[in-house]
Amino acid sequence: MRRKALVLGVVCAGALLLAASALAGNGGTLPVTPHSPNARNTREAYYVVLVFTAIVFVGVEGALIVLMAKYRRGKRARTADGLQLHGSTRLEVLWTVVPVIILAVIGTFVFYILPSIANAPSASAANSTTIKVEGRQFYWMFHYPNDAVSVGTMVAPADNIVNEDVFAPDTDVLHSWWVPQLGGKIDAIPGRTNHTWFKAPVGTYAARCSDLCGIQHTMMLATVQVKSRADYEKFIADRAANPTSVALGKEEWDHVCAVCHRLDSAYIGPSLGGNPLLTHPDRLAVLLRNGFGRMPAVGSDWTDDQIAALVAYYKELTKGNG
Ligand code: CUA
């Protein structure tokens, strides 16, 4: 019996060790390396709570094991009564007061740090910008202050306060905008605008939807490209000057169409290769703006320019294929 327990214990410990190293590759269950002040403060709060909960866990489980060993039956007959214990005022006061103190410390710290996570620091117009983040089945669209748009890739200025107005159209469903390195999740709710922000150095950061929003939820990925302020200004100026660009069309294809369609075979939706609709802006516009059958109205607020950009890219993509 004792040997069986020992073997079981060793197997469990081994499994736990392996699990720990397997998870460590991508940070495991710990927060990713933060690149924005709000993400840093979120991680700080995580570690403060982790320290207290770890102490409580080790204390409670340790006491459990010690007491189980100490008061085990041993050589006593099965029918004999165990040790009779009655109350301990000191212990009872302790296990009431200590948890209250722990909760008070955690609560105070969290409420102290919360404003620095939720609220963007004030910044001049030259050191900040506001980007609207639109969640749709199944892509992210970004609207810049000069009315330029991008799909699937947000471009943002480095070391500036980037305010994000996160929303979804009235006709869509719930999504949740999440760039783990740049802060917490924020819901994209139809008909309502939520606010978050970040301030990050030059770099590329992965973003994703973190609310189950339909069949292709897992494909609702995006990238945040943080560039110098000059490069950011140049990007949105170029976009505004070339509203039907192939570059925009490629983003729309990759992040909107290709999420559910392939060129050469049926996927979630029918194959799009050789589909005459894609070269007719007017007919394509009707489909994108109204949806059809199971297809959502993915382009319900797209401009004619955005649809022309998609047609331009599709023609280039299928050039030579007839
Ligand atoms: Cu959008 Cu999940």
Side-chain angles (χ1 to χ4, degrees), residues 194-302:
N194 284 330
H195 303 278
T196 186
W197 63 282
F198 64 83
K199 178 173 182 258
V202 170
T204 301
Y205 307 98
R208 60 166 308 117
C209 177
S210 62
D211 261 354
L212 181 60
C213 55
I215 187 167
Q216 289 301 73
H217 153 74
T218 51
M219 299 296 291
M220 207 171 153
L221 308 169
T223 306
V224 177
Q225 276 182 9
V226 178
K227 302 179 168 188
S228 71
R229 178 88 195 194
D231 286 350
Y232 162 73
E233 299 281 3
K234 186 176 175 314
F235 172 82
I236 62 172
D238 282 354
R239 268 296 153 91
N242 303 293
T244 61
S245 68
V246 170
L248 173 62
K250 180 174 180 357
E251 289 178 1
E252 292 168 345
W253 175 268
D254 289 345
H255 291 276
V256 186
C257 309
V259 167
C260 291
H261 296 277
R262 297 281 177 266
L263 264 187
D264 49 4
S265 59
Y267 180 37
I268 306 294
S271 164
L272 292 184
N275 189 324
L277 210 66
L278 276 133
T279 48
H280 284 95
D282 295 344
R283 289 169 61 197
L284 182 60
V286 171
L287 174 69
L288 295 181
R289 288 183 180 141
N290 302 311
F292 182 76
R294 290 199 302 150
M295 174 171 160
V298 289
S300 59
D301 60 357
W302 287 18

Side-chain angles (χ1 to χ4, degrees), residues 20-100:
S21 53
L23 286 170
N26 60 358
T29 51
L30 299 177
V32 295
T33 308
H35 290 279
S36 176
N38 47 351
R40 260 189 289 282
N41 291 333
T42 305
R43 192 168 74 151
E44 221 163 273
Y46 180 95
Y47 280 122
V48 167
V49 175
L50 183 68
V51 165
F52 281 109
T53 49
I55 292 170
V56 169
F57 178 79
V58 171
V60 170
E61 297 304 312
L64 185 67
I65 290 168
V66 167
L67 294 176
M68 278 189 332
K70 187 171 175 193
Y71 295 107
R72 71 190 186 284
R73 181 165 63 88
K75 293 204 171 67
R76 239 177 14 247
R78 270 179 188 279
T79 48
D81 274 344
L83 197 61
Q84 301 298 304
L85 292 170
H86 297 280
S88 165
T89 310
R90 199 159 60 139
L91 260 182
E92 284 162 18
V93 169
L94 266 179
W95 74 48
T96 307
V97 170
V98 170
V100 168

Side-chain angles (χ1 to χ4, degrees), residues 8 21 27 30 50 68 73 111 136 141 173 230 237 276 311:
L8 193 68
S21 53
L30 299 177
L50 183 68
M68 278 189 332
R73 181 165 63 88
F111 279 108
R136 309 280 303 242
M141 185 148 76
V173 302
V311 172

